[in-house]
mmCIF file of all heavy atoms in Angstrom:
data_model
loop_
_atom_site.group_PDB
_atom_site.id
_atom_site.type_symbol
_atom_site.label_atom_id
_atom_site.label_comp_id
_atom_site.label_asym_id
_atom_site.label_seq_id
_atom_site.Cartn_x
_atom_site.Cartn_y
_atom_site.Cartn_z
ATOM 1 N N ASN A 228 2.181 10.387 -12.155
ATOM 2 C CA ASN A 228 2.519 11.456 -13.100
ATOM 3 C C ASN A 228 3.523 12.430 -12.482
ATOM 4 O O ASN A 228 3.561 12.603 -11.271
ATOM 5 C CB ASN A 228 1.253 12.238 -13.480
ATOM 6 C CG ASN A 228 0.244 11.383 -14.184
ATOM 7 O OD1 ASN A 228 -0.602 10.784 -13.523
ATOM 8 N ND2 ASN A 228 0.340 11.304 -15.481
ATOM 9 N N GLU A 229 4.302 13.082 -13.346
ATOM 10 C CA GLU A 229 5.169 14.146 -12.854
ATOM 11 C C GLU A 229 4.290 15.306 -12.432
ATOM 12 O O GLU A 229 3.405 15.728 -13.188
ATOM 13 C CB GLU A 229 6.150 14.580 -13.940
ATOM 14 C CG GLU A 229 7.246 13.580 -14.171
ATOM 15 C CD GLU A 229 8.369 14.167 -15.002
ATOM 16 O OE1 GLU A 229 8.643 15.373 -14.899
ATOM 17 O OE2 GLU A 229 8.959 13.402 -15.766
ATOM 18 N N ARG A 230 4.521 15.797 -11.223
ATOM 19 C CA ARG A 230 3.661 16.836 -10.681
ATOM 20 C C ARG A 230 4.446 17.691 -9.697
ATOM 21 O O ARG A 230 5.509 17.321 -9.228
ATOM 22 C CB ARG A 230 2.454 16.217 -9.981
ATOM 23 C CG ARG A 230 2.852 15.359 -8.800
ATOM 24 C CD ARG A 230 1.728 14.456 -8.334
ATOM 25 N NE ARG A 230 2.111 13.680 -7.180
ATOM 26 C CZ ARG A 230 2.853 12.579 -7.204
ATOM 27 N NH1 ARG A 230 3.293 12.124 -8.349
ATOM 28 N NH2 ARG A 230 3.160 11.946 -6.102
ATOM 29 N N VAL A 231 3.857 18.820 -9.381
ATOM 30 C CA VAL A 231 4.390 19.689 -8.339
ATOM 31 C C VAL A 231 3.416 19.605 -7.181
ATOM 32 O O VAL A 231 2.206 19.764 -7.371
ATOM 33 C CB VAL A 231 4.514 21.149 -8.832
ATOM 34 C CG1 VAL A 231 4.982 22.052 -7.705
ATOM 35 C CG2 VAL A 231 5.445 21.225 -10.029
ATOM 36 N N GLU A 232 3.946 19.323 -5.983
ATOM 37 C CA GLU A 232 3.106 19.218 -4.788
ATOM 38 C C GLU A 232 3.576 20.239 -3.766
ATOM 39 O O GLU A 232 4.777 20.462 -3.617
ATOM 40 C CB GLU A 232 3.214 17.822 -4.159
ATOM 41 C CG GLU A 232 2.657 16.732 -5.005
ATOM 42 C CD GLU A 232 2.730 15.375 -4.326
ATOM 43 O OE1 GLU A 232 3.458 15.218 -3.333
ATOM 44 O OE2 GLU A 232 2.054 14.473 -4.808
ATOM 45 N N ARG A 233 2.643 20.821 -3.048
ATOM 46 C CA ARG A 233 2.985 21.781 -2.007
ATOM 47 C C ARG A 233 2.007 21.679 -0.846
ATOM 48 O O ARG A 233 0.851 21.298 -1.018
ATOM 49 C CB ARG A 233 2.947 23.218 -2.541
ATOM 50 C CG ARG A 233 3.998 23.534 -3.562
ATOM 51 C CD ARG A 233 5.381 23.556 -2.957
ATOM 52 N NE ARG A 233 6.412 23.915 -3.896
ATOM 53 C CZ ARG A 233 7.141 23.043 -4.597
ATOM 54 N NH1 ARG A 233 6.932 21.762 -4.491
ATOM 55 N NH2 ARG A 233 8.081 23.455 -5.406
ATOM 56 N N GLU A 234 2.506 22.052 0.314
ATOM 57 C CA GLU A 234 1.690 22.217 1.515
ATOM 58 C C GLU A 234 2.120 23.520 2.164
ATOM 59 O O GLU A 234 3.238 23.977 1.975
ATOM 60 C CB GLU A 234 1.946 21.098 2.528
ATOM 61 C CG GLU A 234 1.342 19.779 2.186
ATOM 62 C CD GLU A 234 1.559 18.777 3.315
ATOM 63 O OE1 GLU A 234 0.916 18.918 4.367
ATOM 64 O OE2 GLU A 234 2.391 17.880 3.122
ATOM 65 N N LEU A 235 1.257 24.082 2.960
ATOM 66 C CA LEU A 235 1.585 25.239 3.780
ATOM 67 C C LEU A 235 1.477 24.790 5.220
ATOM 68 O O LEU A 235 0.530 24.072 5.585
ATOM 69 C CB LEU A 235 0.600 26.386 3.522
ATOM 70 C CG LEU A 235 0.614 27.529 4.531
ATOM 71 C CD1 LEU A 235 1.881 28.367 4.391
ATOM 72 C CD2 LEU A 235 -0.600 28.407 4.359
ATOM 73 N N VAL A 236 2.441 25.194 6.033
ATOM 74 C CA VAL A 236 2.388 24.874 7.456
ATOM 75 C C VAL A 236 2.768 26.115 8.249
ATOM 76 O O VAL A 236 3.564 26.941 7.787
ATOM 77 C CB VAL A 236 3.321 23.681 7.814
ATOM 78 C CG1 VAL A 236 4.755 24.020 7.586
ATOM 79 C CG2 VAL A 236 3.100 23.210 9.231
ATOM 80 N N MET A 237 2.131 26.275 9.395
ATOM 81 C CA MET A 237 2.515 27.326 10.337
ATOM 82 C C MET A 237 2.892 26.661 11.653
ATOM 83 O O MET A 237 2.173 25.786 12.137
ATOM 84 C CB MET A 237 1.379 28.326 10.532
ATOM 85 C CG MET A 237 1.122 29.152 9.289
ATOM 86 S SD MET A 237 0.140 30.647 9.539
ATOM 87 C CE MET A 237 -1.394 29.992 10.096
ATOM 88 N N PHE A 238 4.034 27.067 12.189
ATOM 89 C CA PHE A 238 4.539 26.565 13.466
ATOM 90 C C PHE A 238 4.540 27.710 14.472
ATOM 91 O O PHE A 238 5.064 28.778 14.173
ATOM 92 C CB PHE A 238 6.007 26.118 13.348
ATOM 93 C CG PHE A 238 6.279 25.032 12.366
ATOM 94 C CD1 PHE A 238 6.730 25.319 11.093
ATOM 95 C CD2 PHE A 238 6.133 23.697 12.730
ATOM 96 C CE1 PHE A 238 7.032 24.315 10.189
ATOM 97 C CE2 PHE A 238 6.437 22.686 11.832
ATOM 98 C CZ PHE A 238 6.882 22.994 10.561
ATOM 99 N N LYS A 239 4.005 27.471 15.645
ATOM 100 C CA LYS A 239 4.203 28.402 16.762
ATOM 101 C C LYS A 239 5.219 27.722 17.667
ATOM 102 O O LYS A 239 4.949 26.658 18.225
ATOM 103 C CB LYS A 239 2.914 28.677 17.532
ATOM 104 C CG LYS A 239 3.108 29.706 18.632
ATOM 105 C CD LYS A 239 1.857 29.887 19.480
ATOM 106 C CE LYS A 239 0.768 30.563 18.681
ATOM 107 N NZ LYS A 239 -0.456 30.753 19.497
ATOM 108 N N VAL A 240 6.392 28.364 17.780
ATOM 109 C CA VAL A 240 7.519 27.747 18.474
ATOM 110 C C VAL A 240 7.879 28.573 19.702
ATOM 111 O O VAL A 240 7.896 29.809 19.652
ATOM 112 C CB VAL A 240 8.740 27.658 17.523
ATOM 113 C CG1 VAL A 240 9.909 26.962 18.206
ATOM 114 C CG2 VAL A 240 8.361 26.935 16.247
ATOM 115 N N THR A 241 8.180 27.887 20.791
ATOM 116 C CA THR A 241 8.677 28.563 21.982
ATOM 117 C C THR A 241 10.017 29.197 21.635
ATOM 118 O O THR A 241 10.920 28.518 21.139
ATOM 119 C CB THR A 241 8.862 27.550 23.127
ATOM 120 O OG1 THR A 241 7.613 26.921 23.366
ATOM 121 C CG2 THR A 241 9.348 28.240 24.394
ATOM 122 N N ALA A 242 10.130 30.523 21.891
ATOM 123 C CA ALA A 242 11.359 31.216 21.502
ATOM 124 C C ALA A 242 11.620 32.363 22.454
ATOM 125 O O ALA A 242 11.158 33.482 22.244
ATOM 126 C CB ALA A 242 11.244 31.720 20.066
ATOM 127 N N ASP A 243 12.347 32.050 23.510
ATOM 128 C CA ASP A 243 12.771 33.129 24.395
ATOM 129 C C ASP A 243 13.781 33.983 23.648
ATOM 130 O O ASP A 243 14.470 33.503 22.755
ATOM 131 C CB ASP A 243 13.414 32.545 25.663
ATOM 132 C CG ASP A 243 12.381 31.808 26.514
ATOM 133 O OD1 ASP A 243 11.219 32.265 26.543
ATOM 134 O OD2 ASP A 243 12.736 30.785 27.124
ATOM 135 N N GLN A 244 13.862 35.237 24.038
ATOM 136 C CA GLN A 244 14.803 36.130 23.351
ATOM 137 C C GLN A 244 16.220 35.653 23.596
ATOM 138 O O GLN A 244 16.538 35.079 24.623
ATOM 139 C CB GLN A 244 14.604 37.556 23.850
ATOM 140 C CG GLN A 244 13.264 38.094 23.432
ATOM 141 C CD GLN A 244 13.059 39.538 23.844
ATOM 142 O OE1 GLN A 244 13.901 40.134 24.483
ATOM 143 N NE2 GLN A 244 11.932 40.090 23.457
ATOM 144 N N GLY A 245 17.059 35.871 22.615
ATOM 145 C CA GLY A 245 18.456 35.485 22.757
ATOM 146 C C GLY A 245 18.863 34.412 21.782
ATOM 147 O O GLY A 245 18.409 34.384 20.635
ATOM 148 N N GLU A 246 19.682 33.504 22.260
ATOM 149 C CA GLU A 246 20.276 32.486 21.402
ATOM 150 C C GLU A 246 19.244 31.576 20.752
ATOM 151 O O GLU A 246 19.352 31.233 19.577
ATOM 152 C CB GLU A 246 21.269 31.660 22.224
ATOM 153 C CG GLU A 246 22.242 30.886 21.382
ATOM 154 C CD GLU A 246 23.330 30.252 22.227
ATOM 155 O OE1 GLU A 246 24.000 30.981 22.983
ATOM 156 O OE2 GLU A 246 23.480 29.028 22.128
ATOM 157 N N THR A 247 18.243 31.172 21.521
ATOM 158 C CA THR A 247 17.209 30.279 20.993
ATOM 159 C C THR A 247 16.501 30.910 19.800
ATOM 160 O O THR A 247 16.319 30.285 18.763
ATOM 161 C CB THR A 247 16.177 29.940 22.092
ATOM 162 O OG1 THR A 247 16.855 29.317 23.161
ATOM 163 C CG2 THR A 247 15.074 29.054 21.560
ATOM 164 N N ARG A 248 16.118 32.154 19.984
ATOM 165 C CA ARG A 248 15.418 32.849 18.898
ATOM 166 C C ARG A 248 16.314 32.963 17.665
ATOM 167 O O ARG A 248 15.859 32.783 16.534
ATOM 168 C CB ARG A 248 14.961 34.227 19.370
ATOM 169 C CG ARG A 248 14.070 34.931 18.382
ATOM 170 C CD ARG A 248 13.433 36.129 18.967
ATOM 171 N NE ARG A 248 12.469 35.700 19.994
ATOM 172 C CZ ARG A 248 11.428 36.394 20.375
ATOM 173 N NH1 ARG A 248 11.202 37.567 19.863
ATOM 174 N NH2 ARG A 248 10.610 35.937 21.295
ATOM 175 N N ALA A 249 17.570 33.219 17.857
ATOM 176 C CA ALA A 249 18.510 33.324 16.732
ATOM 177 C C ALA A 249 18.629 31.992 15.991
ATOM 178 O O ALA A 249 18.662 31.964 14.757
ATOM 179 C CB ALA A 249 19.876 33.772 17.240
ATOM 180 N N GLU A 250 18.657 30.889 16.748
ATOM 181 C CA GLU A 250 18.733 29.571 16.107
ATOM 182 C C GLU A 250 17.480 29.289 15.284
ATOM 183 O O GLU A 250 17.551 28.743 14.182
ATOM 184 C CB GLU A 250 18.902 28.475 17.172
ATOM 185 C CG GLU A 250 20.268 28.437 17.807
ATOM 186 C CD GLU A 250 20.370 27.339 18.839
ATOM 187 O OE1 GLU A 250 20.085 26.169 18.507
ATOM 188 O OE2 GLU A 250 20.709 27.663 19.997
ATOM 189 N N ILE A 251 16.330 29.666 15.830
ATOM 190 C CA ILE A 251 15.068 29.455 15.099
ATOM 191 C C ILE A 251 15.065 30.283 13.813
ATOM 192 O O ILE A 251 14.654 29.805 12.753
ATOM 193 C CB ILE A 251 13.859 29.796 16.004
ATOM 194 C CG1 ILE A 251 13.772 28.756 17.123
ATOM 195 C CG2 ILE A 251 12.571 29.857 15.192
ATOM 196 C CD1 ILE A 251 12.792 29.105 18.218
ATOM 197 N N MET A 252 15.559 31.493 13.897
ATOM 198 C CA MET A 252 15.601 32.341 12.699
ATOM 199 C C MET A 252 16.575 31.779 11.659
ATOM 200 O O MET A 252 16.334 31.891 10.468
ATOM 201 C CB MET A 252 15.941 33.773 13.085
ATOM 202 C CG MET A 252 14.797 34.435 13.820
ATOM 203 S SD MET A 252 15.161 36.118 14.229
ATOM 204 C CE MET A 252 13.570 36.653 14.845
ATOM 205 N N GLN A 253 17.646 31.144 12.116
ATOM 206 C CA GLN A 253 18.573 30.493 11.178
ATOM 207 C C GLN A 253 17.883 29.343 10.457
ATOM 208 O O GLN A 253 18.041 29.168 9.252
ATOM 209 C CB GLN A 253 19.793 29.947 11.929
ATOM 210 C CG GLN A 253 20.941 30.901 12.021
ATOM 211 C CD GLN A 253 22.158 30.226 12.635
ATOM 212 O OE1 GLN A 253 22.050 29.458 13.578
ATOM 213 N NE2 GLN A 253 23.319 30.529 12.081
ATOM 214 N N ILE A 254 17.132 28.569 11.209
ATOM 215 C CA ILE A 254 16.382 27.456 10.595
ATOM 216 C C ILE A 254 15.378 28.009 9.588
ATOM 217 O O ILE A 254 15.230 27.472 8.487
ATOM 218 C CB ILE A 254 15.693 26.596 11.684
ATOM 219 C CG1 ILE A 254 16.756 25.851 12.489
ATOM 220 C CG2 ILE A 254 14.687 25.638 11.061
ATOM 221 C CD1 ILE A 254 16.220 25.160 13.736
ATOM 222 N N ALA A 255 14.708 29.085 9.948
ATOM 223 C CA ALA A 255 13.749 29.707 9.025
ATOM 224 C C ALA A 255 14.434 30.123 7.731
ATOM 225 O O ALA A 255 13.902 29.904 6.633
ATOM 226 C CB ALA A 255 13.078 30.905 9.701
ATOM 227 N N THR A 256 15.601 30.682 7.844
ATOM 228 C CA THR A 256 16.348 31.114 6.650
ATOM 229 C C THR A 256 16.721 29.919 5.775
ATOM 230 O O THR A 256 16.555 29.958 4.555
ATOM 231 C CB THR A 256 17.618 31.885 7.070
ATOM 232 O OG1 THR A 256 17.214 33.022 7.840
ATOM 233 C CG2 THR A 256 18.418 32.338 5.853
ATOM 234 N N ILE A 257 17.214 28.867 6.409
ATOM 235 C CA ILE A 257 17.621 27.667 5.661
ATOM 236 C C ILE A 257 16.451 27.087 4.869
ATOM 237 O O ILE A 257 16.601 26.693 3.716
ATOM 238 C CB ILE A 257 18.212 26.608 6.619
ATOM 239 C CG1 ILE A 257 19.547 27.097 7.164
ATOM 240 C CG2 ILE A 257 18.357 25.254 5.922
ATOM 241 C CD1 ILE A 257 20.065 26.306 8.351
ATOM 242 N N PHE A 258 15.263 27.081 5.485
ATOM 243 C CA PHE A 258 14.079 26.488 4.841
ATOM 244 C C PHE A 258 13.260 27.505 4.043
ATOM 245 O O PHE A 258 12.191 27.196 3.551
ATOM 246 C CB PHE A 258 13.185 25.808 5.886
ATOM 247 C CG PHE A 258 13.734 24.491 6.346
ATOM 248 C CD1 PHE A 258 14.602 24.415 7.429
ATOM 249 C CD2 PHE A 258 13.398 23.316 5.690
ATOM 250 C CE1 PHE A 258 15.114 23.206 7.860
ATOM 251 C CE2 PHE A 258 13.900 22.093 6.110
ATOM 252 C CZ PHE A 258 14.769 22.040 7.190
ATOM 253 N N ARG A 259 13.777 28.712 3.947
ATOM 254 C CA ARG A 259 13.054 29.801 3.268
ATOM 255 C C ARG A 259 11.654 29.984 3.852
ATOM 256 O O ARG A 259 10.672 30.190 3.124
ATOM 257 C CB ARG A 259 12.991 29.578 1.763
ATOM 258 C CG ARG A 259 14.341 29.740 1.121
ATOM 259 C CD ARG A 259 14.265 29.690 -0.366
ATOM 260 N NE ARG A 259 15.231 28.691 -0.809
ATOM 261 C CZ ARG A 259 15.178 28.076 -1.967
ATOM 262 N NH1 ARG A 259 14.229 28.347 -2.809
ATOM 263 N NH2 ARG A 259 16.088 27.202 -2.292
ATOM 264 N N ALA A 260 11.577 29.889 5.161
ATOM 265 C CA ALA A 260 10.310 30.116 5.863
ATOM 266 C C ALA A 260 10.178 31.610 6.146
ATOM 267 O O ALA A 260 11.157 32.355 6.089
ATOM 268 C CB ALA A 260 10.294 29.328 7.170
ATOM 269 N N GLN A 261 8.966 32.013 6.449
ATOM 270 C CA GLN A 261 8.722 33.409 6.803
ATOM 271 C C GLN A 261 8.316 33.479 8.272
ATOM 272 O O GLN A 261 7.552 32.634 8.746
ATOM 273 C CB GLN A 261 7.593 33.990 5.952
ATOM 274 C CG GLN A 261 7.939 34.061 4.486
ATOM 275 C CD GLN A 261 6.759 34.542 3.666
ATOM 276 O OE1 GLN A 261 5.641 34.065 3.846
ATOM 277 N NE2 GLN A 261 7.013 35.491 2.788
ATOM 278 N N ILE A 262 8.814 34.492 8.944
ATOM 279 C CA ILE A 262 8.387 34.748 10.317
ATOM 280 C C ILE A 262 7.190 35.678 10.212
ATOM 281 O O ILE A 262 7.310 36.797 9.717
ATOM 282 C CB ILE A 262 9.530 35.365 11.131
ATOM 283 C CG1 ILE A 262 10.677 34.370 11.200
ATOM 284 C CG2 ILE A 262 9.039 35.749 12.530
ATOM 285 C CD1 ILE A 262 11.967 34.924 11.723
ATOM 286 N N VAL A 263 6.025 35.199 10.630
ATOM 287 C CA VAL A 263 4.803 35.980 10.445
ATOM 288 C C VAL A 263 4.325 36.633 11.735
ATOM 289 O O VAL A 263 3.454 37.502 11.703
ATOM 290 C CB VAL A 263 3.675 35.131 9.815
ATOM 291 C CG1 VAL A 263 4.033 34.741 8.393
ATOM 292 C CG2 VAL A 263 3.349 33.903 10.634
ATOM 293 N N ASP A 264 4.895 36.242 12.886
ATOM 294 C CA ASP A 264 4.542 36.897 14.150
ATOM 295 C C ASP A 264 5.652 36.614 15.167
ATOM 296 O O ASP A 264 6.191 35.517 15.212
ATOM 297 C CB ASP A 264 3.211 36.378 14.695
ATOM 298 C CG ASP A 264 2.738 37.163 15.899
ATOM 299 O OD1 ASP A 264 2.461 38.371 15.746
ATOM 300 O OD2 ASP A 264 2.665 36.571 17.000
ATOM 301 N N VAL A 265 5.940 37.630 15.960
ATOM 302 C CA VAL A 265 6.933 37.486 17.025
ATOM 303 C C VAL A 265 6.301 37.962 18.314
ATOM 304 O O VAL A 265 5.797 39.086 18.389
ATOM 305 C CB VAL A 265 8.211 38.313 16.716
ATOM 306 C CG1 VAL A 265 9.197 38.212 17.868
ATOM 307 C CG2 VAL A 265 8.834 37.864 15.413
ATOM 308 N N GLY A 266 6.290 37.100 19.324
ATOM 309 C CA GLY A 266 5.786 37.463 20.646
ATOM 310 C C GLY A 266 6.926 37.450 21.647
ATOM 311 O O GLY A 266 8.082 37.173 21.308
ATOM 312 N N ALA A 267 6.611 37.746 22.897
ATOM 313 C CA ALA A 267 7.631 37.790 23.939
ATOM 314 C C ALA A 267 8.285 36.423 24.133
ATOM 315 O O ALA A 267 9.488 36.341 24.387
ATOM 316 C CB ALA A 267 7.024 38.274 25.240
ATOM 317 N N LYS A 268 7.499 35.341 24.000
ATOM 318 C CA LYS A 268 8.050 34.012 24.241
ATOM 319 C C LYS A 268 7.756 33.027 23.114
ATOM 320 O O LYS A 268 7.869 31.816 23.301
ATOM 321 C CB LYS A 268 7.494 33.459 25.557
ATOM 322 C CG LYS A 268 7.946 34.257 26.747
ATOM 323 C CD LYS A 268 7.513 33.618 28.013
ATOM 324 C CE LYS A 268 8.064 34.470 29.150
ATOM 325 N NZ LYS A 268 8.375 33.762 30.317
ATOM 326 N N SER A 269 7.341 33.532 21.970
ATOM 327 C CA SER A 269 7.057 32.630 20.853
ATOM 328 C C SER A 269 7.272 33.321 19.513
ATOM 329 O O SER A 269 7.288 34.549 19.430
ATOM 330 C CB SER A 269 5.623 32.096 20.934
ATOM 331 O OG SER A 269 4.713 33.152 20.746
ATOM 332 N N VAL A 270 7.414 32.491 18.511
ATOM 333 C CA VAL A 270 7.558 32.951 17.129
ATOM 334 C C VAL A 270 6.649 32.085 16.274
ATOM 335 O O VAL A 270 6.549 30.870 16.493
ATOM 336 C CB VAL A 270 9.016 32.794 16.638
ATOM 337 C CG1 VAL A 270 9.145 33.104 15.160
ATOM 338 C CG2 VAL A 270 9.945 33.666 17.445
ATOM 339 N N ILE A 271 5.956 32.701 15.307
ATOM 340 C CA ILE A 271 5.156 31.925 14.353
ATOM 341 C C ILE A 271 5.863 31.984 13.000
ATOM 342 O O ILE A 271 6.167 33.056 12.488
ATOM 343 C CB ILE A 271 3.715 32.457 14.232
ATOM 344 C CG1 ILE A 271 2.998 32.356 15.580
ATOM 345 C CG2 ILE A 271 2.957 31.696 13.144
ATOM 346 C CD1 ILE A 271 1.602 32.962 15.598
ATOM 347 N N LEU A 272 6.119 30.797 12.459
ATOM 348 C CA LEU A 272 6.776 30.660 11.158
ATOM 349 C C LEU A 272 5.809 30.033 10.181
ATOM 350 O O LEU A 272 5.000 29.190 10.571
ATOM 351 C CB LEU A 272 7.991 29.737 11.271
ATOM 352 C CG LEU A 272 9.014 30.035 12.346
ATOM 353 C CD1 LEU A 272 9.856 28.815 12.620
ATOM 354 C CD2 LEU A 272 9.874 31.188 11.913
ATOM 355 N N GLN A 273 5.902 30.424 8.936
ATOM 356 C CA GLN A 273 5.156 29.722 7.891
ATOM 357 C C GLN A 273 6.128 29.284 6.812
ATOM 358 O O GLN A 273 7.088 29.985 6.516
ATOM 359 C CB GLN A 273 4.036 30.570 7.301
ATOM 360 C CG GLN A 273 4.464 31.600 6.303
ATOM 361 C CD GLN A 273 3.288 32.321 5.652
ATOM 362 O OE1 GLN A 273 2.175 32.307 6.155
ATOM 363 N NE2 GLN A 273 3.546 32.951 4.540
ATOM 364 N N VAL A 274 5.860 28.120 6.255
ATOM 365 C CA VAL A 274 6.708 27.624 5.179
ATOM 366 C C VAL A 274 5.834 26.878 4.179
ATOM 367 O O VAL A 274 4.838 26.252 4.554
ATOM 368 C CB VAL A 274 7.853 26.726 5.718
ATOM 369 C CG1 VAL A 274 7.331 25.453 6.329
ATOM 370 C CG2 VAL A 274 8.876 26.423 4.627
#
Side-chain angles (χ1 to χ4, degrees):
N228 297 90
E229 286 193 33
R230 62 195 182 281
V231 176
E232 294 182 345
R233 293 291 183 266
E234 285 185 72
L235 166 71
V236 65
M237 291 196 297
F238 300 97
K239 184 185 291 180
V240 183
T241 302
D243 293 325
Q244 293 183 358
E246 198 171 305
T247 301
R248 188 169 292 205
E250 287 180 54
I251 292 170
M252 289 182 172
Q253 269 187 319
I254 291 170
T256 301
I257 291 166
F258 284 89
R259 290 187 232 158
Q261 295 176 313
I262 297 168
V263 293
D264 187 64
V265 177
K268 295 186 178 211
S269 66
V270 173
I271 298 175
L272 308 161
Q273 79 174 18
V274 66

